[in-house]
Amino acid sequence: MDFDLQWLLIGLPIAFAFGWIASRIDIGQWKRAQREAPKAYFQGLNLLLNEQHDKAIDAFIEAVQRDPDTADLHFALGNLFRRRGEFERAVRVHQHLLQRADLGAADRARAQHALAQDFVKAGLLDRAEQAYRELEGTDFDIESRLARLSLAERARDWRTAAEVAARLEASGTGSYASRIAHHWCELSLQASDAGDPNGAADALRRAREAAPHAPRPLIVAARLATQKGDAAGAFMHYTELLQHAPGLFPLVASDYATAAIGSGQVEAARATIERRMKEQPSVDLLHAMRLLDGALPTQPTVPDVGERAQSLLHVQPTLSAALAVLDAPMNGNDEQALRDVREAVALAARPLQRYRCAACGFEAPQHFWQCPGCLSWDTFPAQRIEEL
């Protein structure tokens, strides 16, 4: 059967026409999808700026469904889930990104960093630590090391914290000497509590090596010396502390006085505290002076004790100083009235006899080297709220 060329001439234009129509339909759909995806994205952004988080999530989900290959939409959605406290959904979004074979190295590191943040917010610290480890050598290397340092401190894994801080310092990102000294001080105290004096001494030595003039290693060394019955050694460490960090001396004033009494340095300690009272008046120094007065062979007269407290109250009119005045010996006729006044003043003074973190405002009745609230180091001043 002969092939009729007439059908070929008719069929080619028809096939071309159908192909042209199909391509126009595909292009139109593609253009329409491209117009709708940015529209949904900007709608979600607008809702987010207006604090309408639920509607923003719906808009971002719609944008992701229309354009599933856009990584930025996934990042926006995952971060929004994390801010909303929906950590499981945030983890799923970022894990989905990491499973994509077409994701570039920069976006992969970004997704890994976001996933680690999801784990931290969810309280899965072990998984967060592992996620941060996988960021070594990427653009998030320094951030991941800082995060791992914070996680180690949060878990009170002081040895790991010291190692991470040492690597950060070696990388040239800044000085972590004081922070490392705190880590080794914590390890020294742990060893001491566990009955390991050699371990405590070694950790303390490392703390001194990390920051030779840091105040806390000196205080820990003095207290360990006191536990061993070495009052002279404790007095020496407190004297060195006074040279390098005089502002912290009120924290250890009573311990300093006890060490001075045990080592026969009462007169020298009294002279030191009297000098400090002129430069930095404090109730703690007043209490230390009373300890030293009680250790003198000849007891001081009653007016000396009262006058010293009154001088402090005149210079520093605080409720704690008022309590010190009331605690001084009084005439018998005034004791009952003064006792009532003392109780009233004590009640009013109690909320102010606290230490406050300079970073986050966390308050506590005792001094902390690391704030329990924000985990910052050296943010608690040596003086109480009312003394600042």
Side-chain angles (χ1 to χ4, degrees):
M1 176 178 175
D2 294 335
F3 182 77
D4 192 350
L5 292 177
Q6 183 178 358
W7 290 106
L8 181 62
L9 294 175
I10 297 174
L12 282 176
I14 294 174
F16 176 78
F18 277 119
W20 182 83
I21 293 172
S23 67
R24 297 303 297 174
I25 293 174
D26 290 340
I27 291 174
Q29 290 177 345
W30 180 81
K31 288 183 177 180
R32 186 164 54 254
Q34 291 298 312
R35 287 195 301 269
E36 290 177 353
K39 182 179 179 181
Y41 177 79
F42 288 121
Q43 181 184 5
L45 183 61
N46 182 58
L47 292 169
L48 183 61
L49 293 175
N50 290 326
E51 300 295 331
Q52 298 179 4
H53 294 161
D54 293 332
K55 293 182 179 180
I57 288 176
D58 294 337
F60 280 128
I61 290 176
E62 180 183 354
V64 167
Q65 290 174 345
R66 291 179 176 175
D67 190 9
D69 294 332
T70 303
D72 287 333
L73 290 176
H74 286 78
F75 282 121
L77 187 59
N79 293 338
L80 189 56
F81 281 144
R82 189 195 312 133
R83 287 184 58 186
R84 290 279 294 169
E86 300 180 48
F87 306 123
E88 185 176 350
R89 300 180 74 181
V91 166
R92 287 203 302 267
V93 169
H94 293 131
Q95 284 179 336
H96 172 72
L97 278 171
L98 289 172
Q99 291 170 359
R100 285 175 49 178
D102 62 334
L103 200 65
D107 282 340
R108 186 169 298 278
R110 183 182 171 191
Q112 184 70 32
H113 183 256
L115 180 63
Q117 290 179 311
D118 296 337
F119 287 143
V120 171
K121 292 294 186 180
L124 303 174
L125 303 186
D126 54 340
R127 299 183 67 180
E129 201 274 341
Q130 181 59 38
Y132 279 124
R133 279 183 179 274
E134 296 181 12
L135 287 167
E136 293 184 3
T138 68
D139 293 339
F140 293 92
D141 184 84
I142 299 300
E143 292 182 35
S144 66
R145 291 180 188 272
L146 288 171
R148 287 179 56 204
L149 175 58
S150 178
L151 289 174
E153 291 180 345
R154 187 171 174 178
R156 305 188 70 81
D157 185 358
W158 304 117
R159 194 171 297 276
T160 299
E163 292 173 358
V164 175
R167 291 175 185 171
L168 279 168
E169 185 164 355
S171 67
T173 58
S175 175
Y176 293 83
S178 177
R179 205 161 174 173
I180 294 172
H182 281 298
H183 300 154
W184 285 111
C185 283
E186 293 286 351
L187 288 168
S188 178
L189 293 174
Q190 286 181 356
S192 177
D193 293 340
D196 181 11
N198 294 330
D202 180 67
L204 187 59
R205 176 185 58 80
R206 289 174 177 266
R208 295 296 304 273
E209 290 176 353
H213 301 308
R216 194 183 181 190
L218 292 171
I219 294 175
V220 173
R223 289 177 176 169
L224 291 179
T226 300
Q227 292 177 3
K228 295 178 182 177
D230 183 10
F235 184 78
M236 178 188 68
H237 290 305
Y238 286 131
T239 302
E240 187 177 355
L241 172 71
L242 187 58
Q243 296 173 356
H244 297 302
L248 292 176
F249 187 69
L251 291 175
V252 298
S254 295
D255 296 331
Y256 170 78
T258 302
I261 294 170
S263 59
Q265 300 287 339
V266 175
E267 290 294 345
R270 290 183 81 252
T272 297
I273 291 182
E274 284 180 354
R275 184 172 64 254
R276 293 301 307 161
M277 283 289 290
K278 295 177 182 178
E279 299 174 359
Q280 186 185 9
S282 169
V283 173
D284 296 308
L285 297 178
L286 186 64
H287 292 164
M289 184 62 79
R290 286 182 178 174
L291 290 175
L292 295 171
D293 288 344
L296 290 174
T298 303
Q299 295 293 325
T301 58
V302 170
D304 288 339
V305 178
E307 288 174 5
R308 193 179 293 121
Q310 291 174 13
S311 298
L312 175 63
L313 182 60
H314 179 72
V315 175
Q316 191 180 80
T318 63
L319 290 175
S320 295
L323 279 173
V325 172
L326 296 175
D327 283 336
M330 299 291 178
N331 295 327
N333 296 333
D334 299 332
E335 284 191 6
Q336 182 59 48
L338 291 177
R339 190 179 300 113
D340 296 338
V341 173
R342 185 190 182 285
E343 292 177 0
V345 173
L347 184 63
R350 195 172 298 124
L352 298 176
Q353 294 174 329
R354 301 168 68 85
Y355 299 90
R356 178 185 293 158
C357 173
C360 70
F362 183 91
E363 294 181 8
Q366 67 188 78
H367 180 274
F368 287 97
W369 293 102
Q370 183 186 29
C371 175
C374 64
L375 302 181
S376 299
W377 292 99
D378 296 321
T379 55
F380 271 74
Q383 292 175 300
R384 297 175 179 84
I385 295 173
E386 64 175 354
E387 296 175 328
L388 297 175

